[in-house]
């Protein structure tokens, strides 16, 4: 199992960052390697919410069933997934700072099959993609912080 993390400062209210990240349907707006997300459970987004996601790492298509497994608004939440190709546990931490917040993603991944044999490359590529994706997240949330609530992305 490999563990890594990434942090970015975002000038937006912590609750806004938390709400945006907790609804994984927003992932396709900022996570470039994610092709599809569907909420598969009924009710409001929160602990126990489930999603189906399709993404890509290297040249492998990954189908994941993701569960929001633990929530402490607006400070952190955890996700777990089940996938034949790549399993992970993720914790997002939102730390209020000045006029915004630090958003940190802590991930533990376990690769299977071909991705396991290519694990050093998989981790290297994933870390590079993560840095770029967090730049996208920062841009979206900072741009939406200046919009009125009707115009802000959900």
């Amino acid at each position: 199992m490999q563990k890594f993390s990434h942090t970015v400062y975002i000038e937006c209210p912590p609750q806004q960052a938390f709400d945006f990240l907790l609804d994984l349907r927003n992932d396709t707006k900022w996570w470039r390697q994610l092709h599809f997300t569907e909420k598969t459970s009924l009710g409001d987004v929160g602990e126990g919410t489930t999603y189906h996601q399709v993404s890509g790492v290297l040249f492998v298509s990954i189908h994941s069933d993701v569960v929001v497994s633990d929530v402490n608004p607006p400070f952190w939440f955890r996700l777990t997934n089940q996938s034949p190709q790549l399993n992970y546990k993720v914790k997002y931490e939102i730390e209020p700072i000045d006029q915004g917040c630090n958003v940190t993603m802590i991930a533990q991944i376990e690769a299977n099959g071909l991705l396991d044999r290519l694990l050093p490359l998989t981790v290297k590529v994933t870390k590079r993609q993560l840095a770029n994706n967090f730049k996208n997240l920062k841009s979206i949330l900072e741009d939406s912080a200046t919009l009125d609530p009707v115009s802000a992305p959900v």
Side-chain angles (χ1 to χ4, degrees), residues 45-102:
V45 172
E47 190 169 334
T49 302
T50 59
Y51 298 89
H52 181 75
Q53 293 187 321
V54 179
S55 61
V57 173
L58 299 173
F59 46 84
V60 177
S61 181
I62 298 171
H63 293 259
S64 297
D65 292 314
V66 184
V67 178
V68 178
S69 57
D70 202 7
V71 178
N72 183 16
F75 304 107
W76 56 264
F77 66 93
R78 289 187 176 102
L79 307 170
T80 57
N81 87 317
Q82 293 184 356
S83 168
Q85 301 90 0
L86 190 69
N87 293 312
Y88 59 79
K89 295 178 183 179
V90 170
K91 182 179 183 185
Y92 282 98
E93 297 177 342
I94 294 87
E95 176 189 8
I97 296 181
D98 300 325
Q99 301 300 312
C101 56
N102 272 344

Side-chain angles (χ1 to χ4, degrees), residues 17-28 30 37 39 45 49 51 68 77 154:
F18 181 89
D19 292 343
F20 184 84
L21 288 165
L22 184 62
D23 189 342
L24 301 189
R25 293 172 292 189
N26 290 321
D27 286 2
T28 55
W30 66 279
T37 298
K39 185 172 173 266
V45 172
T49 302
Y51 298 89
V68 178
F77 66 93
V154 180

Side-chain angles (χ1 to χ4, degrees), residues 99 134 137:
Q99 301 300 312
F134 265 62
L137 175 66

